[in-house]
């Protein structure tokens, strides 16, 4: 499984919403998304209207970052789900939500998906 190594609050700010990558810090007033409502980087004031491609790319990046997947793993999952019958987007969300680390996170055993992933790796589950 992929790991996000680096500033994860920066990723939340880039997407413009809380992805709850830090767990309880995202619910506190110290969350960088609530402190700074602009994206990270030096050129944050030069915002253009996003294109249709840009909107789709942001949604894809948001899903990849929220579930902690690499581009290759996400592409593999998308290819697998698009081969099956039914709505691909719904099937993809079902596949992402049924992953064991996400189930542990949704059940409330872990405060973040990365913590749930660590529990799986260290065989606490």
């Amino acid at each position: 499984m992929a790991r996000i190594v680096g500033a994860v609050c920066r990723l939340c700010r880039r997407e413009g919403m809380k992805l709850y990558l830090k767990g309880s810090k995202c619910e506190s007033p110290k969350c960088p998304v609530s402190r700074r409502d602009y994206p990270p980087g030096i050129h944050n004031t030069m915002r253009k209207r996003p294109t249709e491609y840009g909107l789709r790319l942001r949604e894809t990046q948001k899903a990849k970052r929220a579930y902690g997947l690499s581009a290759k793993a996400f592409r593999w999952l998308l290819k697998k789900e698009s081969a099956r019958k039914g709505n691909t987007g719904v099937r993809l969300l079902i596949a992402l939500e049924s992953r064991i680390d996400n189930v542990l996170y949704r059940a409330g055993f872990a405060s973040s998906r990365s913590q749930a992933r660590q529990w799986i790796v260290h065989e606490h589950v």
Side-chain angles (χ1 to χ4, degrees), residues 41-108:
I42 196 167
H43 303 290
N44 55 21
T45 57
M46 301 170 12
R47 299 294 286 173
K48 296 189 299 186
R49 187 175 53 167
T51 61
E52 185 66 31
Y53 171 76
L55 291 173
R56 281 189 265 134
L57 178 64
R58 288 275 56 102
E59 288 300 317
T60 305
Q61 293 287 31
K62 194 185 309 181
K64 283 194 310 192
R65 290 171 177 168
Y67 290 101
L69 291 174
S70 65
K72 190 172 184 179
F74 192 79
R75 206 174 318 124
W76 176 81
L77 191 61
L78 182 63
K79 184 178 177 183
K80 184 178 121 181
E81 294 303 324
S82 63
R84 299 174 77 181
K85 292 197 184 229
N87 189 346
T88 305
V90 173
R91 301 226 29 107
L92 181 65
L93 282 176
I94 290 171
L96 288 171
E97 287 289 327
S98 63
R99 290 166 43 104
I100 188 70
D101 56 344
N102 191 61
V103 171
L104 288 173
Y105 169 68
R106 293 284 185 199

